[in-house]
């Protein structure tokens, strides 16, 4: 089950975000959200009590032997080519994106949030809904140059 924070009926829509934080006065932004615990940030707007929440992040599915992933720009420096991977921030409920200034520690590999049937799942909440980076898997294999990750997509990586 999921929980969220619906607003009052605004312009015939209800706005919901998970995990919840402080809802803005106009009901379109939730601030003070912690993404570091592995929760998948979700958002939606709808006109009825039947709501579909959409992910505001990318999810990477990889073999369970991979216990950590890191991000590098094309110059080999820790970080992304553009954008940020967030540990805290806000959710824009209107366009299902997250934004903020608190980034992951690029010197520490990101851990999986779930392990199911031989696969590890990594949740990547990124500023603005997209980013480019070289992805390193356990410091042993990496992508051939920067790849683009977009919010709302599941990426399966076969290594």
């Amino acid at each position: 089950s999921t929980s969220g924070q619906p607003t009052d009926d605004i312009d015939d829509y209800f706005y919901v975000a998970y995990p919840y934080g402080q809802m803005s006065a106009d009901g379109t932004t939730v601030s003070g959200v912690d993404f570091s615990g592995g929760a998948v940030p979700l958002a939606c707007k709808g006109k009825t009590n039947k709501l579909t929440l959409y992910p505001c992040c990318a999810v990477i599915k990889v073999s369970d032997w991979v216990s950590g992933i890191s991000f590098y720009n094309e110059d080999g420096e820790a970080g992304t080519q553009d954008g940020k991977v967030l540990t805290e921030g806000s959710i824009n409920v209107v366009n299902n994106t997250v934004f903020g200034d608190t980034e992951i520690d690029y010197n520490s590999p990101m851990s999986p949030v779930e392990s199911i049937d031989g696969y590890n799942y990594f949740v990547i909440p990124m500023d603005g809904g997209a980013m480019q980076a070289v992805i390193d898997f356990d410091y042993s294999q990496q992508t051939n140059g920067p790849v683009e990750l977009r919010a709302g997509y599941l990426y399966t990586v076969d290594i």
Side-chain angles (χ1 to χ4, degrees):
S1 75
T2 61
S3 63
Q5 184 174 341
T7 66
D8 293 329
D9 196 2
I10 299 172
D11 65 7
D12 294 328
Y13 286 96
F14 292 97
Y15 294 85
V16 180
Y18 172 83
Y20 61 90
Q22 180 65 42
M23 184 70 80
S24 64
D26 68 357
T28 60
T29 304
V30 174
S31 60
V33 180
D34 182 356
F35 304 120
S36 64
V40 177
L42 305 168
C44 73
K45 67 179 188 177
K47 292 189 175 194
T48 70
N49 63 349
K50 295 180 181 179
L51 301 171
T52 300
L53 292 148
Y54 296 95
C56 307
C57 61
V59 176
I60 298 175
K61 174 184 172 183
V62 66
S63 299
D64 64 2
W65 67 264
V66 175
S67 61
I69 59 174
S70 302
F71 302 96
Y72 296 91
N73 62 32
E74 63 185 348
D75 295 329
E77 300 166 343
T80 62
Q81 196 67 23
D82 57 358
K84 297 179 266 188
V85 180
L86 301 174
T87 58
E88 294 177 12
S90 300
I91 298 173
N92 180 325
V93 183
V94 175
N95 61 15
N96 302 334
T97 59
V98 297
F99 60 94
D101 291 322
T102 308
E103 299 179 60
I104 64 168
D105 177 2
Y106 289 112
N107 295 315
S108 299
M110 180 179 269
S111 298
V113 298
E114 190 75 45
S115 184
I116 302 171
D117 295 332
Y119 293 97
N120 279 341
Y121 293 82
F122 296 85
V123 172
I124 320 295
M126 68 210 74
D127 188 56
M131 69 172 210
Q132 290 188 16
V134 174
I135 304 173
D136 185 286
F137 302 93
D138 280 338
Y139 300 120
S140 62
Q141 293 188 21
Q142 58 184 222
T143 59
N144 295 327
V147 295
E148 182 175 71
L149 297 178
R150 300 189 62 76
Y153 288 85
L154 168 67
Y155 297 91
T156 301
V157 179
D158 291 322
I159 296 179

